[in-house]
């Protein structure tokens, strides 16, 4: 915009500019009557993203582009912009245009960002929508997260970067606040971007720890304290100051931030969560096929959120695990109890988000009624829970609070089926407020009188076609057609002339019209006022509502676990502090639900801290190795979240971490090669695992050449055995690894049995002691439909067909791939090296002088280095030759 133009701006556009300057990074929704208008660049972006027409208020080439959306349907447009990562600043008229002198005052009343979006129509029903903040401070990372739709608020201190990443990946925030210095740090952002795809918003606070604590205490009371690192306090204050600046409302529903205590949860890094397919599965990362998909029978949104949290954060404290187990056991054992509880839970709406809407002032009559109906389930639920015995169910019952004085008030004050809006009346129940009743009476009386007017006037005047009507401009009128005009009585006053009729009014009609319209207006205003009082009343009990919502969520999650356990025949595991993991007849919770054409074959497992520390599991392709090792991990995880497990019997010695490296995971988007990802994950496991951990390795070393991979795999097992001591399951096709059992006391071989029937192979899926030396890869390749010619040739090669006849790979590789003999000593040495070795072996040291010996060593070295040189030359020739 040019300077000259600025001078000619209308007062309203000047007002717009001032507001826009305060929110440069948001799209400004500028309220103009019944529309939100956008101007300039905002209009261009919005018209593109929302597919709405770009217009202009003025004519001429340099007129500012603008576009608008109707006020009453703005929600959907806002949701679309926010879901694409934009921020939207909502600017409202903050005084009544009818009474305002001059330009109506406007203010930005809220900035909606991806992390502060609360419209539950567009939020995942059983999920959370987190706003996170990261505060790097004195070498560690403070992390805070809040779900403004439910009020959850947590702090956590991460001492290292990978820990920060694990938490962020688990939370999947919609938006993350970072100090702008961090955002400019390309290396830091680069690393974060590998894992985090959400909107990153710069947010700076120019204060130190003392001030941060001050901000938190100002909000949560002077006694609020948390033994958490300074960085976490900084992050907490960061989120809070951001919310205060952008949300401009009470935020009364924010919980005092609690501590995410790492000691009470099992360690689960992001790769393991993904590998075990806890909440999402398959390439599309959908819910189907995940553990949560099997477990989630929750009936409420709070229950859904709770269960998801439990799956993602299994416990490590024995007493907490046993508390949940006891509750699940009681619910499994008492079908009627469960059924009754479920019947009431079904009627409970998303109380957490309803509470959020109350705090935001966006709850209408329907939301308050939903809140009341949900809370009214508390009474009967408490009644049902009177007979429970387990500690946790009793505690839930004690925490349930029906907030009867408020639900009673809502029931008395609001009509059963309130309208969506709160400003047009029709909300307040008859008999609640005398003035409302009087005004309604006046309106009704007037309306009735007017309704009867037509027939009375027809009779009085004898005009059969006389009509009484209403329009917004002229109000009520009596319409008489031209031919009947002579019959019009004295007291009719002419109001409007149409082509073939005249419209009239009478003094009495005018009087009643004023009575109706005036009363309607006063009524709407009064009802709105009463409604706000009611909403404030609910606001004052919000913490009690939220406490109830939490308790209902836990109850729901427990019922869901019990119902799954009962239907799928799970048993209650014994969890103790020993180091034994003993599973009889264990099953994979998800695979057993999806194998359709056959029965799932259960298997036993015994792992301990001694001679059964590491299992090397070999067996044909498709036999079920990957399934089996995940099954063990999932049973342990289920046990530690307090659930029953798919097994005949299970004893689980507590695990502090489950760490997995399963399958070849590409992370091409993050710019990592397959093997790089694999090695990073293995490195992480070797650094983090402890004696108490459960390590699950599937085909580690497969991403590189066989010789390299085999060496790495072997070294990893040795390291885990000698240095770490964690319980480990290692599935592999490197049959050479079975020899480790001979000289590592904690290693045992297992394999998965198959039965050969002539040409074909039957997969038994049964785990048996001992290793195997065949992969039946060709068999699986045939099943997969590889062309017959390829299969035949592969068969020849496997049987040691003449080399080179079909070109193909270098001899050296083949030697290593196909070890000779049973023990599988890999990589036969040949060529110059073999020659040197032979000479060395045959060299009779006793007959030589030291000088001769040195000369011999010198010669050998020369041979070896000349070989390496010729290798290098060959390599160079290949590239440049
Ligand atoms: N215990 C079982 N009972 C019944 N079916 C099973 C069982 N275990 C595995 N399966 C079936 O076998 C299929 C292959 O299993 P899995 O992927 O675990 O084999 P694998 O040994 O890891 O194969 P590969 O060596 O090719 O990785 C599974 O998808 C499942 O359908
Ligand atoms: Mg496998």
């Amino acid at each position: 915009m040019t300077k000259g133009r600025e001078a000619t701006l209308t007062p309203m556009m000047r007002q717009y500019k001032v507001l826009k300057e305060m929110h440069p990074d948001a799209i400004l929704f500028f309220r103009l009557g019944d529309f939100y208008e956008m101007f300039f660049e905002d209009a261009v972006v919005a018209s593109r993203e929302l597919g709405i027409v770009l217009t202009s208020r003025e004519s001429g080439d340099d007129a500012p582009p603008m576009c608008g959306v109707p006020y009453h349907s703005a929600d959907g447009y806002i949701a679309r912009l926010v879901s694409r990562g934009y921020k939207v600043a909502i600017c409202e008229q903050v005084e009544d245009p009818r009474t305002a002198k001059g330009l109506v005052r406007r203010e930005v009343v809220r900035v909606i960002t991806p992390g502060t979006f609360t419209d539950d129509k567009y939020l995942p029903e059983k999920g959370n929508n987190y706003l996170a903040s990261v505060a790097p401070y004195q070498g560690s990372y403070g992390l805070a997260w809040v779900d403004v739709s439910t009020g959850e608020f947590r702090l956590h201190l991460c001492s290292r970067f990978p820990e920060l990443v694990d938490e962020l990946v688990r939370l999947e925030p919609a938006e993350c606040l970072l100090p702008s210095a961090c955002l400019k740090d390309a290396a830091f952002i680069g690393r974060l971007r590998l894992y985090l795809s959400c909107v990153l918003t710069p947010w700076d606070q120019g204060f130190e720890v003392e001030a941060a604590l001050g901000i938190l205490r100002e909000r949560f009371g002077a006694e609020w304290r948390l033994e958490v690192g300074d960085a976490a306090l900084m992050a907490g204050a960061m989120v809070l100051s951001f919310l205060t600046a952008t949300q401009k409302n009470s935020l009364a529903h924010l919980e005092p931030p609690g501590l995410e205590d790492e000691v009470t949860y099992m360690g689960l890094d992001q790769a393991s969560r993904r590998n075990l397919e806890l909440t999402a599965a398959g390439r599309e990362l959908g819910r189907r096929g995940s553990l949560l998909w099997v477990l989630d029978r929750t009936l409420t949104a709070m229950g859904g959120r709770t269960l998801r949290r439990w799956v993602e954060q299994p416990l490590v404290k024995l007493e907490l695990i046993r508390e949940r187990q006891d509750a699940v056991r009681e619910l499994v054992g008492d079908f009627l109890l469960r059924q009754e509880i479920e019947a009431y839970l079904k009627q409970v709406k998303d109380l957490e988000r309803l509470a959020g809407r109350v705090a935001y002032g966006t709850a209408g009559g329907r939301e308050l009624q939903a809140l009341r109906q949900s809370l009214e389930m508390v009474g009967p639920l408490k009644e049902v829970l009177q007979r429970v015995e387990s500690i946790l169910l009793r505690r839930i019952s004690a925490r349930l609070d029906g907030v009867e004085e408020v639900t009673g008030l809502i029931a008395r004050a609001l009509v059963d089926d309130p309208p969506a809006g709160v400003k047009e009346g029709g909300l307040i129940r008859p008999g609640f407020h005398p003035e409302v009743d009087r005004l309604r009476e006046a309106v009704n009386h007037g309306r009735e009188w007017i309704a009867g007017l037509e027939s009375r006037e027809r009779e009085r005047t004898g005009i059969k076609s006389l009509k009484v009507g209403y329009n917004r401009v002229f109000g009520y009128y009596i319409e008489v057609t031209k031919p009947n005009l002579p019959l019009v009585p004295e007291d009719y006053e002419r109001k409007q002339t149409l082509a073939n009729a005249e419209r009239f009014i009478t003094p009495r009609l005018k009087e009643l019209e004023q009575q109706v319209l005036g009363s309607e207006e006063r009524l709407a205003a009064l009802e709105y006022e009463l409604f706000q009082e009611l909403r404030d009343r609910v606001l004052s009990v919000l913490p009690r509502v939220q406490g109830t919502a939490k308790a209902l969520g836990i109850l729901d999650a427990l019922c869901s676990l019990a119902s799954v356990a009962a239907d799928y025949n799970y048993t209650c595991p014994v969890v103790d502090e020993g180091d034994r993991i003993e599973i009889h007849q264990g099953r994979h919770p998800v695979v057993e639900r999806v194998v359709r054409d056959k029965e799932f074959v259960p298997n036993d497992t015994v792992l301990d801290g001694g001679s059964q520390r590491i299992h090397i599991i070999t067996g044909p392709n498709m036999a079920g190795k990957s399934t089996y090792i995940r099954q063990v991990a999932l049973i342990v995880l289920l046990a530690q979240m307090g659930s029953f497990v798919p097994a005949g019997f299970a004893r689980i010695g507590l695990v502090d971490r489950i760490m997995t490296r399963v399958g070849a995971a590409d992370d091409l988007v993050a710019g990592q090669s397959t093997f790089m990802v694999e090695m990073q994950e293995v490195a992480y496991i070797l650094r983090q695992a402890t004696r108490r951990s459960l390590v699950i390795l599937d085909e580690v070393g497969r991403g590189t050449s066989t010789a390299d991979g085999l060496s790495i795999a072997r070294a990893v097992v040795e390291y885990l055995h000698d240095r770490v001591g964690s319980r480990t399951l290692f599935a592999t096709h490197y049959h050479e690894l079975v020899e480790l059992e001979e000289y590592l006391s904690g290693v045992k071989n297992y394999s998965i049995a198959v039965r050969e029937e002539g040409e074909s192979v039957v997969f038994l899926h049964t785990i048996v002691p001992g290793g195997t030396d065949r992969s039946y890869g060709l068999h699986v390749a045939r099943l997969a439909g590889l062309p017959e010619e390829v299969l035949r040739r592969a068969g020849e090669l496997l049987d040691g067909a003449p080399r080179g006849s079909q070109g193909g790979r270098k001899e050296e590789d083949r030697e290593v791939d196909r070890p000779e003999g049973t023990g599988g000593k890999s990589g036969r040495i040949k060529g110059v090296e073999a020659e040197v070795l032979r000479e060395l072996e045959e060299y009779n040291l006793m007959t030589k002088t030291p000088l001769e010996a040195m000369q011999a060593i010198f010669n050998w070295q020369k041979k070896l280095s000349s070989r390496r040189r010729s290798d290098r030359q060959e390599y160079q020739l290949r590239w440049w030759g």
Side-chain angles (χ1 to χ4, degrees):
M1 197 181 323
T2 61
K3 269 261 151 20
R5 205 182 149 74
E6 199 146 329
T8 64
L9 280 181
T10 61
M12 199 189 69
M13 287 312 285
R14 276 206 292 276
Q15 185 187 40
Y16 171 86
K17 279 210 71 190
V18 170
L19 289 165
K20 178 65 198 175
E21 267 160 26
M22 287 158 67
H23 300 278
D25 60 341
I27 295 179
L28 187 66
F29 270 44
F30 190 74
R31 181 72 180 270
L32 255 179
D34 282 342
F35 277 79
Y36 287 117
E37 301 288 0
M38 286 148 272
F39 300 99
F40 305 107
E41 188 55 27
D42 285 358
V44 176
V45 172
S47 77
R48 187 183 62 223
E49 295 288 341
L50 302 173
I52 49 179
V53 186
L54 207 56
T55 56
S56 175
R57 275 174 82 77
E58 305 154 37
S59 51
D61 286 348
D62 56 350
M66 67 177 273
C67 64
V69 297
Y71 146 79
H72 59 83
S73 61
D75 287 356
Y77 292 110
I78 294 172
R80 244 154 71 206
L81 287 173
V82 171
S83 69
R84 290 176 196 183
Y86 294 99
K87 296 168 188 156
V88 177
I90 307 290
C91 160
E92 294 289 358
Q93 300 171 170
V94 292
E95 55 183 351
D96 193 331
R98 283 169 302 185
T99 56
K101 292 193 195 72
L103 191 61
V104 183
R105 214 149 47 78
R106 290 185 173 83
E107 274 174 22
V108 169
V109 296
R110 191 179 163 196
V111 181
I112 304 172
T113 67
T116 57
F117 187 58
T118 54
D119 193 335
D120 38 13
K121 276 204 293 297
Y122 304 96
L123 289 177
E125 195 196 334
K126 285 179 171 178
N128 280 105
N129 192 58
Y130 287 122
L131 167 69
S133 70
V134 172
Y137 188 68
Q138 294 182 342
S140 49
Y141 300 90
L143 174 65
W145 62 96
V146 58
D147 181 341
V148 289
S149 75
T150 67
E152 180 187 343
F153 191 176
R154 291 266 186 291
L155 303 182
H156 184 61
L157 184 74
C158 306
S159 46
R160 298 164 45 254
F161 186 78
E163 202 186 317
L164 174 70
V165 166
D166 282 344
E167 286 299 302
L168 285 173
V169 169
R170 176 176 71 81
L171 295 166
E172 283 182 70
E175 180 177 4
C176 184
L177 307 177
L178 284 168
S180 44
C182 264
L183 270 170
K184 287 186 198 118
D185 180 345
F188 179 84
I189 292 301
R191 285 202 294 163
L192 202 62
R193 273 283 175 230
L194 293 183
Y195 305 97
L196 205 62
S197 59
C198 74
V199 176
L200 302 179
T201 302
W203 191 253
D204 293 301
Q205 43 191 16
F207 53 70
E208 278 294 307
V209 177
E210 273 309 300
L213 186 62
I215 287 181
L216 287 158
R217 288 202 167 148
E218 194 182 307
R219 185 72 184 66
F220 299 109
E223 309 84 60
W224 181 86
R225 61 179 307 115
L226 207 54
E227 290 310 317
V228 60
D230 290 346
L233 291 179
M234 302 283 275
M238 206 165 148
V239 164
L240 205 56
S241 64
F242 177 81
L243 289 179
T244 313
T246 57
Q247 303 305 293
K248 311 201 166 146
N249 76 51
S250 73
L251 289 168
H253 66 310
L254 281 198
E255 298 169 1
L259 197 56
E260 197 70 10
D261 182 359
E262 70 215 88
V263 202
T264 55
Y265 297 121
M266 177 195 275
L268 266 177
D269 56 281
Q270 47 103 8
S272 301
R273 282 194 180 100
R274 191 185 58 221
N275 289 335
L276 293 173
E277 308 193 304
L278 296 184
T279 56
R283 273 184 215 170
E284 316 275 88
L285 290 184
R287 196 179 162 88
R288 204 190 134 79
S290 68
L291 180 64
L292 195 59
W293 170 70
V294 173
L295 293 184
D296 188 0
R297 297 198 178 172
T298 55
L299 301 163
T300 68
M302 291 82 75
R305 286 180 207 121
T306 307
L307 191 66
R308 188 192 178 98
R309 242 185 325 260
W310 287 3
V311 167
E312 290 187 323
Q313 300 184 309
L315 302 166
V316 287
K317 277 216 182 88
L318 211 49
E319 73 234 49
L320 297 181
I321 295 171
R322 290 195 177 139
E323 262 181 18
R324 281 195 203 158
Q325 278 188 341
D326 289 345
V328 174
R329 189 185 299 109
E330 189 167 11
L331 290 165
V332 169
D334 192 338
F335 176 70
L336 283 179
L337 172 72
R338 206 167 76 226
Q339 219 180 19
E340 279 178 71
I341 294 174
E342 284 168 358
Y344 293 118
L345 284 178
K346 274 191 194 131
Q347 325 257 341
V348 173
K349 303 283 184 324
D350 192 344
L351 271 177
E352 286 181 322
R353 285 200 181 140
L354 287 169
R357 294 190 61 159
V358 170
Y360 262 82
T362 54
R366 292 181 182 171
E367 282 73 32
L368 292 198
Q369 282 294 24
L371 187 103
R372 172 186 69 83
Q373 282 157 8
S374 306
L375 286 172
E376 276 175 2
M377 295 303 120
V378 164
L381 269 173
K382 281 176 94 93
E383 188 74 31
V384 175
L385 288 172
Q386 280 205 330
R387 64 171 196 264
V388 300
E389 277 163 15
S390 56
I391 300 174
L392 187 53
L393 289 178
R394 277 168 171 270
R395 200 181 307 139
I396 288 169
S397 175
R399 258 180 73 186
L400 289 178
D401 179 348
V403 207
E404 281 81 9
E405 69 281 18
V406 173
T407 54
L409 185 63
I410 296 173
R412 285 197 305 284
L414 289 187
V415 297
D416 287 338
D417 193 8
V422 291
K423 293 194 172 159
E424 285 79 43
L427 284 163
I428 301 297
R429 186 180 281 275
F432 177 70
H433 196 273
E435 180 65 8
V436 170
D437 291 348
R438 202 191 61 73
L439 288 169
R440 259 194 209 139
E441 178 59 34
V443 171
N444 288 342
H445 175 258
R447 284 234 182 91
E448 257 163 44
W449 186 88
I450 291 167
L453 185 67
E454 198 171 271
S455 60
R456 286 200 304 277
E457 289 301 299
R458 280 183 185 174
E459 194 158 319
R460 176 159 83 100
T461 59
I463 307 172
K464 293 243 159 43
S465 61
L466 179 146
K467 272 193 300 200
V468 172
Y470 176 82
N471 81 28
R472 280 177 66 128
V473 182
F474 293 100
Y476 286 100
Y477 56 80
I478 300 169
E479 191 175 296
V480 177
T481 52
K482 287 252 162 84
N484 289 311
L485 285 178
L487 295 172
V488 165
E490 285 284 286
D491 56 340
Y492 277 26
E493 294 165 20
R494 179 158 308 148
K495 211 173 171 184
Q496 192 188 0
T497 303
L498 305 179
N500 45 16
E502 296 275 329
R503 287 177 174 174
F504 301 91
I505 187 127
T506 65
R508 181 70 184 140
L509 180 57
K510 194 169 204 143
E511 192 182 315
L512 279 160
E513 174 185 282
Q514 259 154 26
Q515 180 182 327
V516 168
L517 299 182
S519 302
E520 262 175 353
E521 199 171 299
R522 280 215 303 284
L523 183 63
L526 177 59
E527 287 199 53
Y528 181 51
E529 201 174 299
L530 290 170
F531 177 77
Q532 279 179 312
E533 268 173 38
L534 184 66
R535 197 162 59 193
D536 285 348
R537 186 74 188 84
V538 179
L539 192 64
S540 70
V541 294
L542 226 45
R544 286 164 66 193
V545 175
Q546 289 174 306
T548 301
K550 278 234 162 58
L552 288 171
I554 297 174
L555 181 62
D556 195 5
L558 290 169
C559 279
S560 176
L561 290 182
S563 151
V564 170
D567 284 4
Y568 300 151
N569 208 8
Y570 287 9
T571 49
C572 185
V574 180
V575 182
D576 60 25
E577 279 175 335
D579 59 8
R580 219 173 145 76
I581 293 177
E582 189 179 339
I583 300 167
H584 295 194
Q585 301 287 292
R587 285 126 45 204
H588 189 296
V590 181
V591 175
E592 76 161 340
R593 301 262 64 84
V594 292
V595 286
R596 250 170 273 120
D597 43 347
K598 54 184 177 185
E599 283 282 293
F600 189 88
V601 181
N603 274 306
D604 298 348
T605 309
V606 176
L607 277 165
D608 62 24
S611 65
Q612 293 273 4
R613 199 145 76 230
I614 298 184
H615 292 184
I616 305 282
I617 295 150
T618 48
N621 290 106
M622 282 285 286
K625 299 179 295 298
S626 303
T627 309
Y628 172 73
I629 58 178
R630 285 180 201 213
Q631 156 187 327
V632 174
L634 289 175
I635 289 177
V636 169
L637 185 136
L638 280 167
Q640 291 193 211
M641 65 181 265
S643 167
F644 280 24
V645 299
F649 166 85
R651 173 188 297 279
I652 308 296
L654 279 180
V655 161
D656 67 350
R657 280 171 180 276
I658 296 178
M659 313 187 87
T660 66
R661 156 61 225 177
V662 179
D666 282 291
D667 207 344
L668 295 180
V669 188
Q672 309 277 54
S673 80
T674 313
F675 191 62
M676 187 63 187
V677 173
E678 179 173 336
M679 286 301 108
Q680 279 175 347
E681 290 180 11
V682 172
Y684 183 77
I685 291 177
L686 296 184
R687 270 200 310 271
Q688 300 293 315
T690 73
R691 259 189 82 78
R692 286 224 77 95
S693 307
L694 176 64
V695 176
I696 304 291
L697 300 173
D698 197 355
E699 315 254 12
V700 162
R702 275 266 282 240
T704 182
S705 80
T706 313
D708 286 2
L710 179 57
S711 319
I712 291 171
R714 188 179 173 129
V716 165
V717 173
E718 287 174 358
Y719 186 87
L720 283 169
H721 181 273
D722 299 341
R723 309 290 285 275
V724 183
S726 45
R727 291 158 286 182
T728 304
L729 296 174
F730 192 156
T732 183
H733 283 290
Y734 293 141
H735 303 137
E736 296 80 357
L737 289 181
V738 299
E739 69 185 44
L740 285 171
E741 185 183 62
E742 278 168 37
Y743 53 91
L744 296 180
S745 65
V747 171
K748 286 287 165 295
N749 291 329
Y750 287 88
S751 56
I752 305 206
V754 288
R755 196 171 60 230
E756 286 185 59
E757 289 179 352
E759 277 284 277
S760 69
V761 177
V762 179
F763 295 110
L764 302 176
H765 302 305
T766 316
I767 190 134
V768 292
T772 178
D773 60 356
R774 284 197 60 186
S775 277
Y776 297 89
L778 283 186
H779 175 75
V780 172
R782 175 165 285 119
L783 287 181
L786 241 59
E788 197 50 46
E789 188 186 330
V790 174
L791 292 169
R792 204 171 43 242
R793 173 63 185 150
E796 278 169 26
L797 289 170
L798 194 65
D799 295 339
R803 289 165 188 164
S805 56
Q806 297 243 332
R809 298 185 303 169
K810 274 176 55 192
E811 294 221 332
E812 205 173 35
D813 276 356
R814 197 199 315 270
E815 286 289 337
V816 179
D817 271 7
R818 199 165 43 75
E820 250 125 78
T822 45
K825 284 199 190 55
S826 63
R828 231 181 41 185
I829 294 161
K830 348 174 250 35
V832 179
E833 279 157 344
E835 198 183 308
V836 170
L837 278 177
R838 199 180 53 249
E839 282 175 22
L840 175 64
E841 201 172 12
E842 288 164 4
Y843 194 75
N844 191 347
L845 202 58
M846 290 306 147
T847 61
K848 305 288 192 263
T849 65
L851 207 65
E852 282 169 333
M854 270 183 76
Q855 183 62 45
I857 294 175
F858 178 75
N859 289 340
W860 290 328
Q861 273 192 336
K862 221 164 69 186
K863 275 188 189 165
L864 288 175
S865 65
S866 76
R867 185 210 53 132
R868 224 171 285 130
R869 230 183 354 261
S870 73
D871 270 7
R872 219 170 19 243
Q873 271 160 6
E874 188 192 322
Y875 175 79
Q876 287 173 349
L877 275 177
R878 256 195 287 145
W879 279 100
W880 289 293

